[in-house]
Amino acid sequence: MAGRGPWISCSGMSFPATRLRRLRRTGALRGLVRETDLSVDHLVYPLFVTHGQDRREPVASMPGIERLTISHLAEEAGQIAQLGVPAVLLFGIPADKDTAASGAYDDEGIVQLAVRALKQAQPDLTVITDVCLCEYTSHGHCGVVRDDGEVDNDVTLELLAKTAISHAAAGADAVAPSDMMDGRVGAIRAQLDSEGHSEVPILAYSAKFASAFYGPFREAAESTPEFGDRRGYQMDPANGREAVREAKIDVAEGADMVMVKPALPYLDVIRRVREEVDVPVAAYNVSGEYAALKAAAANGWLDERGAVLESLTAIRRAGADVIVTYHAKDVARWLQD
Ligand code: PBG
């Protein structure tokens, strides 16, 4: 009897127990019953494009990530496409910033030029643009700041919609508003439709939390607010119900996809949003998540490949259809091995 059927023996005693290890015995069996797959097809690689000529600037807090000038984009896009990464999320660092964020909606602005360069070099690479004002405002806030220091929601909407339109006109395959103003999805959708860009989808950063994990990004994008913080518009990390509520509102306003950001500290939110909306759900594995793992790996404290693949698989298991991650190129290489 021992070792067979539902009975397990220990110290001469037998007791009923289920044998789960049978299906873990070989790699083939484990593969056969694996519930979640991680493939390069679901990954989006963030790209930082900066002003000036012929520069590749490493971002100190994000080892392996660089800010590129336009002249380096064709080469970079070729490498990304060759690795099979299907999409990039584009951020721009303009030469000049002002209170009206005019570089954001300038048809010859940094992102608009970058979109054209990328689409010319790699027409099949999907280019998603981040729509926000914080990289373009002199104060670093995501919208227009009033005299009393508040970010003016409705005035900001006009500028976000203008920005999205100029990205679409430059050839962006999708626009991704990350500003967290109320009503931005509806405003952008209406403007895109009326300007002849009804085919351009909106990836809404719906549940974007006021997170400490954006620190390295702000170094990369030079977008740290000069005063105050973003808690007046980004979501409180303590809230899950509110995240579901905003995701549903964004879908009602016309979002084609919704995003949860950051990813690893918010797996429960990814799961809840996945269960409550029918559109694809993206998760942004942000700069601080990347930096923390890279730092531990550099110290020999974590095995980078194992930790990255496990983390991204967990984000997929939580319910993300799409993952935006700075690890995308490495993952593509590892999955090819
Ligand atoms: C712009 C924006 C931010 C990120 C993406 N879009 C920074 C912020 O809100 O401060 C963060 C991405 C990352 O940390 O990787 N609003």
Side-chain angles (χ1 to χ4, degrees), residues 132 134 178 208 214 217-218 230 234 261 286-287 326:
C132 191
C134 63
S178 68
K208 177 172 177 181
Y214 305 150
F217 172 95
R218 292 179 189 171
R230 301 206 203 290
Q234 298 182 346
K261 174 187 173 186
V286 300
S287 58
Y326 302 96

Side-chain angles (χ1 to χ4, degrees), residues 82-233:
Q82 212 210 329
L83 286 165
V85 176
V88 294
L89 177 60
L90 199 54
F91 296 94
I93 300 118
D96 301 304
K97 307 184 185 224
D98 55 31
T99 52
S102 47
Y105 41 87
D106 176 353
D107 287 339
E108 300 300 314
I110 187 79
V111 162
Q112 290 80 353
L113 294 175
V115 171
R116 291 193 203 107
L118 287 167
K119 292 307 290 185
Q120 197 185 358
Q122 292 293 332
D124 294 335
L125 182 68
T126 292
V127 177
I128 308 170
T129 55
D130 185 88
V131 174
C132 191
L133 305 185
C134 63
E135 292 116 82
Y136 305 90
T137 50
S138 37
H139 45 64
H141 276 287
C142 299
V144 176
V145 175
R146 292 193 312 233
D147 291 343
D148 64 2
E150 281 283 315
V151 173
D152 190 315
N153 194 85
D154 300 11
V155 171
T156 301
L157 292 185
E158 306 268 341
L159 302 185
L160 292 167
K162 264 169 89 168
T163 303
I165 284 169
S166 81
H167 291 179
D173 294 295
V175 292
S178 68
D179 52 283
M180 293 300 278
M181 298 302 119
D182 289 330
R184 78 260 168 81
V185 175
I188 290 172
R189 183 74 272 156
Q191 288 289 321
L192 283 173
D193 291 352
S194 76
E195 302 272 337
H197 300 294
S198 57
E199 77 289 359
V200 174
I202 298 176
L203 163 58
Y205 286 71
S206 297
K208 177 172 177 181
F209 290 91
S211 174
F213 287 88
Y214 305 150
F217 172 95
R218 292 179 189 171
E219 180 201 330
E222 297 173 0
S223 64
T224 307
E226 262 175 13
F227 56 88
D229 54 46
R230 301 206 203 290
R231 286 182 292 182
Y233 38 102

